[in-house]
Amino acid sequence: MAALAAQAAPAAAATGPTLSVSLSVARHPISPDIYGLNGADPAFAAEIGMPVARWGGNASTRYNFKNHTYNTGSDWYFENIVAGPDNTVESFVKTNRDRGTKQIVTVPMSGWVAKDSPGSHPFACGFPAARFPAQDAFDPWDANCGNGRLNDTNLSGAVPTDTSIPVDASFDGEMVSHLVSRFGTAAHGGVPIYELDNEPVLWNATHRDVHPEAVTYDELGSKSTAAAAAVKAADPSAAVLGPSGWGYCEWVASGLDGCAPGADAAAHGGLNLSQWYLKNMKDFSDAHGGRRFLNYFDQHYYPQISGGKDPEANALRLRSTRSLWDPTYVDESWIGPGGVNAPPLHFIRTMKAWVAQYYPGTKVAITEYNWGALDDINGALAQADVLGIFGREGLDLATIWGEPQPTQPGAYSFRMYRNYDGVGSRFGDVSVSAASSDQGQLAVFAAQRSSDQALTVMVINKTGSDLTSPLSVAGFRGNGKARRFTYGPADLNSIVRGDDLAVRRGQVNATYPANSITLLVLPERLR
């Protein structure tokens, strides 16, 4: 029996990396807007106090607020769809405004919006069978609407007026004026942020039935300044956000150049597309008395990893978050040496460097991102790491695309920062220095909470082993207890309130379970 008992005893936790926090070092506010989502279950949005939501995506490029109609583009057979009453831009604004959530509304900029269309099949569509009888695929529910491809090649010759009507920046001004008339200006509770379309360099793919031409520096620049001016004329108190590129190629190159600066860049001072975009917006500002026309420099960020959940994919998912900040991390996808051989991205820091050089004072945003596997604890670990990085690196706004469902592990990553105890308690709002001797094993983030001066420390165990690690907190000298909250594989349906941990002159020893997220809360009285 003694032998059996010995075999059943749990293995002792391994010694983990050392953790340190300094309350007085690297202090800066954490923007609450980094915890945003593009959409969310209403109860979950209320539970986490969702700070910001976005009306965007490919469908917003041709959304016509006058008839509530949009075009699905290449996402679904280029069809015009009349939005139901719960899916209009007005409904989006009202719903989020009523719950206290800031709204981002996308204004169209491609030059086309959806025309008046039937609300049921047969739909108006960009590649109708009557005009293109041979295509690779047709909508199973609408045999007239094709995917605009034949023999796996894009078809040409679509007629834009089959689905759309031409518009210019004045339409954006009308849209903003309409929303101001309904909800007031941004300064008086109306829409606070307008986005200048969505992933414009992909228009010649996602909306190729109306915009088959590759987007150039000049087209993006002129349309962006015109749309921004129209927004500001209709609501001077509103903020403008752009250019919202899809990923690496659009960060650095126009549609004409492809995936690296080429002739188009050379004709614009040799600057990559992001750099030139910022410079162009600043030049426009300078030419108009210094008035700001771009408030947020925004790009989308999708790590180029598989959505798999095998051990190799899981390990890469956790490593790849370093691409947001680490200047030594070489991307392991086609972006790195095996493909276009881009230098290390450290993307948030790169965005901030571009802003500092070309349009100082502009905030930075990532309005689409997703590390995947949000239905798995591995995706939850990555999401918690990303949210910690956003806060530490000083990102101003972020909204996840493909948000987790309320019962999925990824949703608990948001709860750990926004409602860890079920009664609305949150991670701190003033970031402070936090370091791990091995961030790949235990990632650590720390912030002080302004409301009660408590120190909150988030520790993410990215390994498959329990790890016992010492935490030293410079600035806390008293003795007492730290509260502990943990989310992990032992209970994927709740955040567990663990036993309090002893704090002795700023020292805390704790065991962090394998593949878990732990929050420690040190009260102000321990200082």
Side-chain angles (χ1 to χ4, degrees), residues 26-37:
R27 293 178 66 88
H28 64 82
I30 295 175
S31 169
D33 293 342
I34 63 172
Y35 304 111
L37 300 93

Side-chain angles (χ1 to χ4, degrees), residues 370-457:
N370 195 312
W371 255 258
L374 293 170
D375 60 347
D376 186 87
I377 186 61
N378 181 263
L381 299 179
Q383 182 61 40
D385 197 26
V386 166
L387 292 175
I389 291 167
F390 285 170
R392 185 192 65 202
E393 297 296 314
L395 191 69
D396 293 294
L397 185 151
T399 50
I400 188 173
W401 181 272
E403 65 281 351
Q405 296 305 302
T407 58
Q408 290 182 330
Y412 286 90
S413 301
F414 283 89
R415 291 185 177 102
M416 288 295 288
Y417 285 91
R418 298 289 293 175
N419 188 11
Y420 59 81
D421 60 359
V423 293
S425 296
R426 295 174 179 173
F427 187 69
D429 56 325
V430 179
S431 182
V432 302
S433 173
S436 169
S437 61
D438 189 341
Q439 192 86 356
Q441 292 189 58
L442 290 183
V444 60
F445 306 95
Q448 191 169 21
R449 197 160 52 206
S450 297
S451 61
D452 61 0
Q453 301 304 304
L455 176 68
T456 56
V457 182

Side-chain angles (χ1 to χ4, degrees), residues 23 27 420 428-429 447-457 473-483 503 505-506 520-527:
L23 203 61
R27 293 178 66 88
Y420 59 81
D429 56 325
Q448 191 169 21
R449 197 160 52 206
S450 297
S451 61
D452 61 0
Q453 301 304 304
L455 176 68
T456 56
V457 182
V473 183
F476 273 62
R477 296 179 293 276
N479 298 327
K481 299 288 186 180
R483 289 180 292 155
V503 182
R505 299 187 63 82
L520 306 180
V521 183
L522 284 70
E524 192 272 341
R525 66 177 179 273
L526 297 181
R527 294 183 65 186

Side-chain angles (χ1 to χ4, degrees), residues 77 127-138 143-156 208:
Y77 300 100
F127 292 94
R131 196 182 300 280
F132 300 95
Q135 300 185 54
D136 288 343
F138 290 90
N144 184 53
C145 297
N147 69 348
R149 292 174 67 80
L150 181 61
N151 299 324
D152 211 27
T153 300
N154 287 343
L155 292 170
S156 60
R208 62 182 183 270

Side-chain angles (χ1 to χ4, degrees), residues 21-294:
V21 171
S22 181
L23 203 61
S24 62
V25 177
R27 293 178 66 88
H28 64 82
I30 295 175
S31 169
D33 293 342
I34 63 172
Y35 304 111
L37 300 93
N38 272 268
D41 172 86
F44 179 63
E47 181 186 351
I48 65 169
M50 184 170 70
V52 60
R54 171 175 172 260
W55 168 272
N58 290 334
S60 65
T61 290
R62 275 192 269 174
Y63 181 80
N64 185 341
F65 77 95
K66 296 180 180 180
N67 59 18
H68 306 301
T69 304
Y70 61 93
N71 187 277
T72 57
S74 61
D75 291 344
W76 191 260
Y77 300 100
F78 302 88
E79 294 174 352
N80 277 10
I81 306 294
V82 180
D86 293 336
N87 295 310
T88 65
V89 67
E90 295 89 349
S91 176
F92 167 83
V93 173
K94 184 179 187 306
T95 298
N96 286 286
R97 185 171 179 256
D98 289 350
R99 67 163 64 114
T101 297
K102 186 180 295 185
Q103 315 100 52
I104 303 170
V105 169
T106 301
V107 296
M109 213 170 62
S110 71
W112 299 90
V113 295
K115 70 180 185 180
D116 292 344
S117 301
S120 59
H121 296 292
F123 292 137
C125 49
F127 292 94
R131 196 182 300 280
F132 300 95
Q135 300 185 54
D136 288 343
F138 290 90
D139 181 350
W141 292 278
D142 197 325
N144 184 53
C145 297
N147 69 348
R149 292 174 67 80
L150 181 61
N151 299 324
D152 211 27
T153 300
N154 287 343
L155 292 170
S156 60
V159 177
T161 52
D162 281 348
T163 61
S164 306
I165 57 173
V167 295
D168 57 20
S170 64
F171 181 89
D172 299 330
E174 292 180 57
M175 183 174 178
V176 176
S177 294
H178 166 69
L179 293 174
V180 167
S181 71
R182 286 284 305 271
F183 303 104
T185 63
H188 294 91
V191 177
I193 304 173
Y194 291 94
E195 180 175 356
L196 303 181
D197 214 291
N198 177 73
E199 301 179 351
V201 168
L202 290 184
W203 286 339
N204 67 329
T206 53
H207 295 278
R208 62 182 183 270
D209 57 321
V210 296
H211 196 295
E213 308 85 6
V215 170
T216 64
Y217 278 58
D218 287 341
E219 182 184 8
L220 179 61
S222 62
K223 286 185 172 179
S224 295
T225 53
V231 170
K232 295 285 189 177
D235 186 354
S237 62
V240 170
L241 177 150
S244 309
W246 69 267
Y248 175 77
C249 295
E250 190 166 350
W251 304 338
V252 300
S254 67
L256 190 63
D257 278 348
C259 201
D264 204 7
H268 294 82
L271 300 180
N272 72 36
L273 187 60
S274 290
Q275 294 167 334
W276 183 84
Y277 181 87
L278 287 162
K279 180 180 181 300
N280 184 62
M281 294 301 281
K282 184 178 186 303
D283 289 346
F284 188 77
S285 171
D286 292 345
H288 290 80
R291 183 181 181 190
R292 179 170 283 277
F293 289 91
L294 183 72

